[in-house]
């Protein structure tokens, strides 16, 4: 038998003492492997969605995953959790659409910022006490897949029954290689958002398609002391950064070789060529005017029976 025990770690605010209280137990008879959350690393927190009786929370932070060797002869895994602030139901896009009786395209515009729940990788607890990767469970989130709840940029909304799909470009705080033309920095566009003030990049080669139920309204600043979930999704990539993102998306889907140069460079060249064409046109018009005047002068000379010496005497080049 395999037992998975979930417990909550509580830190007393006054004394600082840590206690653990039970949340729930799962018992597995005749099952050799169970799914467990991955053990968190120092700079890589792991979260778990689980509903325990008597608790309103769904989202918990995983603090530790280990085997309880004192539980022998059966195998027991201890999963220690900590409470987290919960996202209200009305902040999820699917609930926003239901409340407004609208399709996603009416609420979610292209280039808007959203939070996306990508989830976390899992591990496998075996009946012999070993914890291994979930590589044989291909239907679950694998290690190195796009992880955690993160900010993303909407590229398009795909209307579909019964639920709309949303294509997004994920954002990361991990700096890409300097030669990676399929990523671009978006830090300057995040000033109105809360929790995303790190230096950040849009990873255009990892475009994802997710359902509306995975999308959450981002937290934005209303004032120096007040923040809200922006259920209108008004924060978005704008201006020059948007044009740069379009170029980066071309490289992200391996179309960079087709354009031969950045779109910005092409636009600049097109404007320069247009200006040059205007200047050439003006110059040609001036030349035509001078040619007309030259012909008129030649006819005047012929009709007057005057020589060039006579004209130079009448119209000196450097009159005194």
């Amino acid at each position: 038998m395999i037992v998975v025990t979930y417990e909550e770690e509580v830190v007393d605010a006054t004394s600082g003492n840590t206690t653990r209280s039970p949340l729930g137990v799962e018992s597995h008879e005749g099952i050799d492997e169970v799914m467990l959350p991955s053990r968190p690393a120092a700079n890589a927190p792991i979260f778990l969605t689980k509903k325990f009786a008597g608790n309103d929370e769904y989202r918990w932070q995983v603090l530790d995953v280990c085997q309880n060797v004192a539980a022998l002869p059966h195998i027991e895994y201890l999963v220690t959790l900590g409470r987290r602030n919960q996202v209200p139901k009305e902040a999820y896009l699917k609930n926003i659409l239901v409340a407004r009786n609208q399709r996603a395209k009416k609420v979610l515009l292209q280039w808007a910022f959203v939070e996306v729940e990508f989830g976390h990788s899992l591990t496998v607890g075996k009946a012999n006490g070993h914890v291994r990767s979930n590589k044989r469970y291909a239907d679950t989130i694998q290690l190195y897949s796009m992880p955690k709840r993160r900010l993303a940029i909407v590229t398009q909304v795909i209307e579909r029954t019964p639920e709309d799909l949303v294509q997004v470009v994920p954002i990361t705080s991990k700096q890409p290689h300097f030669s990676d033309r399929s990523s671009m920095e978006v830090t300057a566009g995040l000033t109105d958002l809360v929790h995303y003030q790190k230096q950040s990049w849009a990873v255009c080669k990892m475009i994802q398609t997710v359902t509306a139920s995975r999308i959450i309204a981002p937290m934005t600043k209303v004032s120096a002391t007040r923040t809200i979930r922006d259920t209108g999704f008004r924060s978005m990539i704008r201006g020059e950064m948007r044009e740069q993102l379009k170029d980066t998306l071309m490289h992200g889907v391996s179309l960079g070789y087709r354009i031969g140069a950045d779109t910005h460079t092409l636009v600049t060249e097109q404007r320069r060529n247009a200006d040059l064409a205007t200047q050439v046109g003006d110059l040609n018009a001036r030349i035509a005017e001078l040619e007309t005047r030259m012909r008129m002068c030649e006819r005047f000379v012929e009709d007057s029976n005057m020589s060039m010496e006579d004209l130079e005497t009448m119209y000196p080049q450097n009159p005194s």
Side-chain angles (χ1 to χ4, degrees), residues 42-192:
N43 297 318
I46 299 290
F47 296 88
L48 172 72
T49 300
K50 203 82 169 176
K51 183 65 173 68
F52 299 104
N55 291 275
D56 294 331
E57 289 81 3
Y58 277 81
R59 184 176 169 86
W60 302 78
Q61 183 172 357
V62 179
L63 302 179
D64 193 22
V65 180
C66 64
Q67 182 189 359
N68 181 12
V69 294
L72 296 174
H74 67 264
I75 298 299
E76 180 182 18
Y77 293 101
L78 289 176
V79 180
T80 305
L81 306 174
R83 290 180 188 261
R84 297 285 299 185
N85 291 332
Q86 304 295 299
V87 175
K89 292 188 295 184
E90 56 269 20
Y92 283 86
L93 177 59
K94 187 170 184 178
N95 293 330
I96 293 171
L97 299 179
V98 171
R100 299 181 186 177
N101 193 27
Q102 291 180 320
R103 299 298 297 266
K105 277 190 175 180
K106 294 292 185 180
V107 176
L108 205 57
L109 299 179
Q110 190 180 35
W111 315 121
F113 288 114
V114 294
E115 286 185 1
V116 180
E117 189 65 82
F118 287 109
H120 291 272
S121 63
L122 301 171
T123 53
V124 171
K126 295 178 173 287
N128 59 8
H130 294 163
V131 176
R132 297 289 184 266
S133 77
N134 63 331
K135 62 184 180 181
R136 298 188 66 178
Y137 294 79
D139 58 327
T140 63
I141 298 176
Q142 303 285 301
L143 185 64
Y144 307 122
S145 295
M146 179 57 65
K148 71 181 185 179
R149 180 187 298 169
R150 66 172 65 240
L151 199 64
I153 303 168
V154 175
T155 59
Q156 69 170 320
V157 175
I158 305 169
E159 291 190 324
R160 194 188 69 162
T161 302
E163 185 172 344
D164 293 335
L165 298 177
V166 182
Q167 193 176 75
V168 298
V169 172
I171 293 176
T172 181
S173 59
K174 183 178 180 181
Q175 185 170 1
H177 192 270
F178 71 90
S179 64
D180 184 1
R181 303 183 71 186
S182 64
S183 297
M184 64 166 281
E185 186 174 356
V186 294
T187 310
L190 309 181
T191 53
D192 293 335

